[in-house]
Every structure is written in C-alpha cells, then in structure tokens.
Amino acid sequence: MPATATQAPRTLIPLVEAELARLVGSGEDLLEMACLDALFPTGKLLRPTLCIESARAVGGRAEPVLSFAAAIECLHVASLVHDDIVDQDPMRRGRASTAERFGLAEALLAGDGLFTAGWVAMLRTGPAGPVLEASRAVAEAMHAMCRASMLETTIREDLSCGRSAVLEVIRGKTAALTGAACQAGAILAAATPEQAEALRQYGELLGTAFQIRDDLLPYTAQDRITGKRATSDVANRQPTLPVLLAYESAGEPDRRLLTRVFHGDADPATAHRDLLDVLTRTGAIAEATRQAHRCVARAREALDGLPSTERLARLADSAVDRHR
Amino acid sequence: MPATATQAPRTLIPLVEAELARLVGSGEDLLEMACLDALFPTGKLLRPTLCIESARAVGGRAEPVLSFAAAIECLHVASLVHDDIVDQDPMRRGRASTAERFGLAEALLAGDGLFTAGWVAMLRTGPAGPVLEASRAVAEAMHAMCRASMLETTIREDLSCGRSAVLEVIRGKTAALTGAACQAGAILAAATPEQAEALRQYGELLGTAFQIRDDLLPYTAQDRITGKRATSDVANRQPTLPVLLAYESAGEPDRRLLTRVFHGDADPATAHRDLLDVLTRTGAIAEATRQAHRCVARAREALDGLPSTERLARLADSAVDRHR
C-alpha cells in the first residue's frame, strides 16, 4: 500500500518521534510535560518528512538530517501552540489545545520552550557551514510566519480583504516553512544551490496546496476525521481562500449571507451549513480544489532534473488527496 | 564622568540602536510597529553591551559583533514582552506594556517576531564556525529562560518554595543570557575556550547581581525612577530573593504578615508598606544587598588574566550601584 495522506514512510516516523522525545526531555518538569503534550501524539510530521526526503532526493541519507528535521517539527508545533492562543481555539488534533489543558501563560511558555528546544537541537548539528545556511533559511521562514500571523489578525472578519491577502497568509504561515524544510534538507545533503532552490520551490508549492486543501476540509470531511471542529473557521471568523473565492464571485444576496455569517451571532452549525451552501453554489469549492491541484502540478515540475524524486512526487500528490 | 548604572559607553548606544532598528524594519506593518514599540525607547542595553565589551576584553573590535549583539537584545526584549503577558503586567519601563498597547494576541506575535528577527540577524553573521558556536550558547540560554519562567509560574504566591527555587529562577531568567552574551562576544572575537568560559562566568555572576538589585529596587527607589510600579511584585505575588530571605528569618508574627500580604486582598500600597517594614526589620534588604555585592566581587575575579577588562569591571560595579 502506498503512503497516503502525506504520511511519512512508516520507517521514518518512529525515528523522528524518538528524536522529538529526545529533544524536549522526559517530562520531568512542567515545561517538558507541556511540550511533550503538544508534540505527542504527533501529527502528520510533514515538515520533517519533507526535510529528510529532500536530502534523499539529492543523494543524501536520512540519518545525518534526522535531528535537524525533528527540530523543524518542534518549531512548527510551537507555532501551532501560539496560534491556538491567538485564535482562542480550544481544540487541536482532536483534543484540547495546550492553552486549554495547561492555561494561557503555561501554553505561551510551552510554545517558547518548543521554539528554543528546536533552535538548540538545530544548532547542535554540523558541519558548521551548511548548518548555518540551513538554520538561516528556517529562521527566515519562521519570521515570515510571524508576519503572516499578524496579518491574519488584521483581516479577521474582513471578507473584502482580497484573495491576495489570504494567499499572503498561506505563503507566510505554511509555505515558507515547508519550503525551508526542503531547502534545509537539501543544503545539509550538500545539494547544489540550484537543487536547494528547486526543492524550496517544490516545498512552498506543496505547502500552499496542503493549506488550501486544509481550508477545504471543513466542507468536504467529517469532524471526527479532521480532528478540528468543522465549524472552527466560522467561530474564528477567519476568511480562507474558499470563502474569499465565494465572496468574490457571489451575487448580492449570497454576499449578504456571507457577511451575516461572518458578523452575525448565528449558532456555528447553522453558519457552517449556510457557508457550505454558498461555497458550493458559487463554485468556490471546485475553484479552490483546482488551484490546489495546479500547485501540486507545479511542485512536481520543480522536481525535474533532481536525482531521486519518486517519494517527493508522491508526497505532493497526497497533499491534496487526503481527508484529514 | 564614568558610565554609571550599567549604561553602555555613550558611543556604543547609538550604534546598537541603529542596528536594532535595521533588524526589525521601519514599522511598515503591524508586526514591525509592535516590535519597534517594544524595542524603543531602549532600556539599558546591558546584554549587547556585555557582548561587545567581552569581544573587546579579549582583543576584538565592536564592529564585527554589533549585529550579533543587537540580535541578543531582540531576544531579550521578546522575553520581556512575553513575560508581561504571563504576569499580566500592564507596565514596562514606565509605559504601557506591549500587551496593554496592542492586545494580547498581537503582543504574543510581536514577541515571536522579535525572537525570529533576532535569530535571522544572528545567523546572517559570520564566519560560520564561531557564529554557530555562539548562537548555540545563546539558544541554550533562551531555553533555560523558558524553563525558569515556567518554574516561576509554579512558585507564584508560594513563600515556602525555598531560596534555591528563587535562585534557580534568577539563574535561568537573567544570568543564563547575560552569561551567554559575554561568552558569544568572546567566541566571535576568537577567544580561547578558557577565556570564553571565564567571560560566561563573569556574565552569569553580573546578571545574578543585577537581578538581585532589581528585586531590591521596589524597596529602595521611587516609582518614577524604576519605571515599574513599586507594587508590581506584590501585585504579581511573585516571591523574590529579598522576600524569601525575610520569610526564612522572620518570626511567626512577621511570617503571618508576609503570608497575609501574599494571599490577602489588601490594597497594593498597604501591602507594599507592610512588606518594606518586614524586609527592613528582618535584615533581608541588607542580606540581599550583601549577596549582590558578593556576586560582583566574584564576577570581577573571573576577569583575572584577561587582556583588557577595565570596562567590564566597571560594568560589574554599576550592576549593584544603580537606582533604576
């Protein structure tokens, strides 16, 4: 059976998980407990998988980049923990968010703890030249993520922000780090600058497709599968690409309906059902799906000429072919 | 006139400030605005000053470490911004805290933005070997800071936590980064491992003295001088070294009084006056002052044998000889 739904190849997952556990300690104090709780059970481990598979794609091995790859997952999970504070989201991966379980202050510090544990782990690897270059790429991606998160707070409830703002949020919050994960894996495996750049582009396009698919999940999958409430986007009043596409192509009555959903006090289930109707009627779901598939096609093109790309090509496909 | 109160030499301050402004951008979006607001007007710039002066102490120059030094200040200010969220403190440096001015979510992201801007700046310097080693020292200090901040949340209101817990908080929250700032400056200036280690010890001892002095300020200085409310420690119910020393040496009536202050609903001004009485009566203020001076003496000893230590010795003295 091929790996589906952006799963890491089965052999990698336990290695990355063991490394993650090693990075944050054994749960001896409250910081380690909260960090472990945020990390485990792990999610899809997309970013460490991309990092390792990018190293392999240019002829490298998994083992030398394992610690760096796990460190990237630490940074990613740190950003999720802080995101759930910003969004006041009580759920993450089908269970209570860190803020909900440990309290706001503790979750803030757990996020900081995961960030710093990630940096420590990353900077403990070698050799110095490639590690510094790869770490810099990751740091720049993390800074882009902060900028995009702040932009996201300013467009909350704003259906007229334009799809370029939403795409900028996707680029910063998701694509930047998936791109940097690929670029870093390539750099650490002594890729040429052209190969590292091609893999960064691949990773950014895959990340964009992945996020568009993620934003579509509330309208195509069941609550119990996604692990997030299907209604959480409505609750957050955060415009996503499908919603904006619907707004931009909707007639006046549907625009008014969307506006009511985003600014009104309707119960989340009703709001969600109304949204689903408009998104289907306007073709927004179909259009967003097309855009995600276009990103995947371009991601596959970016792999042209690299030595060993079969697994990365499969990962790109699975970014849009998943139900959680 | 010699530099007083841990002021950076006057010529360094504008250089560090210019570098800080360059690191976080010109305030074009909300993230940059919030970051600039947290950074400026700057505080004492103790950590960048320590970094630069440590480079000079082993024969290096200021200019090559300037960017790295400013990056450390970014990380420090990021931790202050998050600290004020954790403590729900509305004031910082005599004005509204970032959370108070911009909102909690925005302050959280501004802190993350300063962290990541710091990492980007740090990892953009060179050469690779020393930068990686120096960055690792800083990352480890930042992780120690998270651990100590979390410990701090667990001993809030706990007068029986023991002075070792309070000293652990000081080591993690202050001494680790002042030590790493010195160590990093030394490494970047091609110090020997022994010199870098001596300067790390110097920095940790100076930081400890600095923090003890900071905890004494509410009992020795005026509100308008410290820029923090004299009563904010009471409001936070955070046991500090002077308070714990008082509790440990107090008789039953004074212990009961301290407990009432920490668990009661007395207005902050009354609580602060009661605390000041007990801390004076038990000799806790005098004992904490002695401990700070002992740290300074040991910090100066750690400088023995280094090429050029005059400015660092003066900085150590000023850590305890200040009123803000």
Side-chain angles (χ1 to χ4, degrees), chain B residues 201-216:
Chain B
Q201 283 181 21
Y202 158 86
E204 288 187 358
L205 288 159
L206 176 145
T208 304
F210 185 90
Q211 187 58 52
I212 295 175
R213 178 73 195 140
D214 217 54
D215 291 339
L216 281 166

Side-chain angles (χ1 to χ4, degrees), chain A residues 20-26 29-33 35-36 39 74-75 109-121 124, chain B residues 75 79 115 119 135-151 168-169 171-173 176-177 180:
Chain A
L20 281 174
R22 206 181 59 79
L23 297 189
V24 298
S26 52
D29 57 25
L30 184 59
L31 183 71
E32 291 183 0
M33 280 169 56
C35 289
L36 287 172
L39 284 173
C74 272
L75 302 188
L109 294 174
D112 287 350
L114 286 167
F115 275 129
T116 51
W119 286 114
V120 168
R124 275 187 187 158
Chain B
L75 302 187
S79 76
F115 275 130
W119 286 115
S135 303
R136 193 162 49 225
V138 173
E140 285 164 357
M142 293 306 295
H143 192 62
M145 194 188 285
C146 293
R147 197 177 294 278
S149 294
M150 193 67 108
L151 172 61
E168 202 176 322
V169 169
R171 259 198 307 276
K173 284 196 71 173
L177 189 57

Side-chain angles (χ1 to χ4, degrees), chain A:
Chain A
M1 198 177 88
T4 57
T6 60
Q7 269 179 356
R10 278 159 207 281
T11 50
L12 275 186
I13 290 180
L15 292 176
V16 173
E17 289 188 338
E19 194 63 22
L20 281 174
R22 206 181 59 79
L23 297 189
V24 298
S26 52
E28 276 174 25
D29 57 25
L30 184 59
L31 183 71
E32 291 183 0
M33 280 169 56
C35 289
L36 287 172
D37 185 80
L39 284 173
F40 294 98
T42 53
K44 302 178 191 69
L45 299 177
L46 174 62
R47 290 149 193 83
T49 302
L50 288 172
C51 181
I52 293 167
E53 294 300 354
S54 294
R56 283 174 162 173
V58 295
R61 290 181 308 113
E63 196 279 330
V65 296
L66 200 56
S67 187
F68 199 101
I72 293 178
E73 179 70 10
C74 272
L75 302 188
H76 166 60
V77 173
S79 77
L80 299 182
V81 170
H82 281 186
D83 245 19
D84 290 338
I85 297 174
V86 168
D87 294 342
Q88 300 180 29
D89 209 321
M91 297 285 283
R92 169 68 62 181
R93 294 176 180 161
R95 46 202 289 269
S97 66
T98 307
E100 191 73 12
R101 290 170 78 89
F102 288 86
L104 187 148
E106 290 77 5
L108 190 159
L109 294 174
D112 287 350
L114 286 167
F115 275 129
T116 51
W119 286 114
V120 168
M122 212 174 279
L123 300 171
R124 275 187 187 158
T125 61
V131 167
L132 192 67
E133 192 185 346
S135 303
R136 192 163 51 227
V138 172
E140 284 164 357
M142 294 304 296
H143 191 62
M145 194 189 284
C146 294
R147 195 177 296 276
S149 293
M150 193 68 109
L151 172 60
E152 199 177 30
T153 68
T154 67
I155 62 172
R156 183 154 295 164
E157 297 189 37
D158 182 4
L159 287 170
S160 64
C161 65
R163 75 173 79 173
S164 69
V166 170
L167 288 171
E168 200 176 325
V169 169
I170 293 178
R171 260 198 306 277
K173 284 197 70 171
T174 308
L177 189 57
T178 52
C182 294
Q183 183 184 4
I187 291 168
L188 295 171
T192 66
E194 292 73 25
Q195 289 175 329
E197 173 60 20
L199 282 164
R200 186 185 64 74
Q201 282 181 19
Y202 158 86
E204 288 186 0
L205 287 159
L206 177 146
T208 305
F210 185 90
Q211 187 58 50
I212 294 174
R213 177 75 195 141
D214 217 53
D215 291 339
L216 281 167
L217 284 179
Y219 313 107
T220 58
Q222 302 288 326
D223 272 27
R224 74 183 164 69
I225 304 182
T226 65
K228 261 207 127 143
R229 291 184 193 172
T231 52
S232 81
D233 281 349
V234 184
N236 292 342
R237 296 173 185 195
Q238 201 64 60
T240 60
L241 185 65
V243 171
L244 268 212
L245 290 173
Y247 186 80
E248 289 181 6
S249 64
E252 262 315 305
D254 275 344
R255 282 198 173 194
R256 276 200 299 274
L257 181 56
L258 285 171
T259 307
R260 268 208 306 283
V261 166
F262 261 64
H263 296 92
D265 295 322
D267 73 287
T270 309
H272 180 70
R273 201 200 51 222
D274 286 347
L275 261 186
L276 181 57
D277 286 348
V278 180
L279 265 63
T280 308
R281 193 151 61 220
T282 54
I285 291 175
E287 173 56 21
T289 305
R290 267 194 299 276
Q291 292 200 15
H293 280 279
R294 267 202 297 276
C295 287
V296 168
R298 288 174 58 209
R300 293 187 68 128
E301 281 167 29
L303 298 175
D304 279 356
L306 293 174
S308 173
T309 59
E310 196 196 326
R311 277 190 296 258
L312 288 178
R314 220 162 46 215
L315 271 169
D317 290 339
S318 63
V320 288
D321 178 26
R322 63 192 174 94
H323 303 284
R324 66 179 194 94

Side-chain angles (χ1 to χ4, degrees), chain B residues 107-172:
Chain B
L108 190 158
L109 294 173
D112 287 351
L114 286 166
F115 275 130
T116 50
W119 286 115
V120 168
M122 213 174 280
L123 299 171
R124 275 186 187 159
T125 61
V131 166
L132 192 67
E133 192 186 346
S135 303
R136 193 162 49 225
V138 173
E140 285 164 357
M142 293 306 295
H143 192 62
M145 194 188 285
C146 293
R147 197 177 294 278
S149 294
M150 193 67 108
L151 172 61
E152 200 177 29
T153 68
T154 67
I155 61 172
R156 183 154 294 164
E157 296 189 38
D158 182 6
L159 287 169
S160 64
C161 65
R163 75 173 80 173
S164 69
V166 170
L167 288 171
E168 202 176 322
V169 169
I170 292 177
R171 259 198 307 276

Side-chain angles (χ1 to χ4, degrees), chain B residues 17-273:
Chain B
E17 288 187 340
E19 193 63 23
L20 281 173
R22 206 180 60 80
L23 297 190
V24 297
S26 52
E28 277 175 25
D29 58 25
L30 184 58
L31 183 71
E32 291 183 1
M33 280 169 57
C35 288
L36 287 171
D37 186 79
L39 284 173
F40 295 98
T42 54
K44 301 177 192 71
L45 300 178
L46 175 62
R47 290 149 193 84
T49 303
L50 287 172
C51 182
I52 293 166
E53 294 299 356
S54 293
R56 283 173 160 172
V58 295
R61 289 182 308 112
E63 196 278 330
V65 296
L66 200 56
S67 188
F68 199 102
I72 293 178
E73 180 70 8
C74 272
L75 302 187
H76 166 61
V77 173
S79 76
L80 299 182
V81 170
H82 281 186
D83 244 20
D84 289 339
I85 297 174
V86 169
D87 294 343
Q88 300 179 26
D89 209 322
M91 298 285 282
R92 169 68 63 181
R93 293 175 179 163
R95 47 202 285 270
S97 65
T98 307
E100 190 73 12
R101 290 170 78 91
F102 288 86
L104 188 148
E106 290 77 4
L108 190 158
L109 294 173
D112 287 351
L114 286 166
F115 275 130
T116 50
W119 286 115
V120 168
M122 213 174 280
L123 299 171
R124 275 186 187 159
T125 61
V131 166
L132 192 67
E133 192 186 346
S135 303
R136 193 162 49 225
V138 173
E140 285 164 357
M142 293 306 295
H143 192 62
M145 194 188 285
C146 293
R147 197 177 294 278
S149 294
M150 193 67 108
L151 172 61
E152 200 177 29
T153 68
T154 67
I155 61 172
R156 183 154 294 164
E157 296 189 38
D158 182 6
L159 287 169
S160 64
C161 65
R163 75 173 80 173
S164 69
V166 170
L167 288 171
E168 202 176 322
V169 169
I170 292 177
R171 259 198 307 276
K173 284 196 71 173
T174 308
L177 189 57
T178 51
C182 294
Q183 182 184 3
I187 291 168
L188 295 171
T192 67
E194 294 72 26
Q195 288 175 328
E197 172 59 20
L199 282 163
R200 187 185 63 75
Q201 283 181 21
Y202 158 86
E204 288 187 358
L205 288 159
L206 176 145
T208 304
F210 185 90
Q211 187 58 52
I212 295 175
R213 178 73 195 140
D214 217 54
D215 291 339
L216 281 166
L217 284 178
Y219 312 109
T220 57
Q222 303 287 327
D223 271 27
R224 71 179 168 72
I225 305 182
T226 66
K228 261 206 124 135
R229 290 184 193 171
T231 53
S232 81
D233 282 347
V234 184
N236 293 341
R237 298 177 183 192
Q238 202 64 59
T240 60
L241 186 65
V243 171
L244 268 211
L245 290 173
Y247 185 79
E248 289 181 5
S249 66
E252 262 314 306
D254 275 345
R255 281 198 170 192
R256 277 200 299 275
L257 180 57
L258 284 171
T259 306
R260 267 208 307 283
V261 166
F262 262 66
H263 296 93
D265 296 322
D267 75 287
T270 309
H272 179 70
R273 202 200 52 223

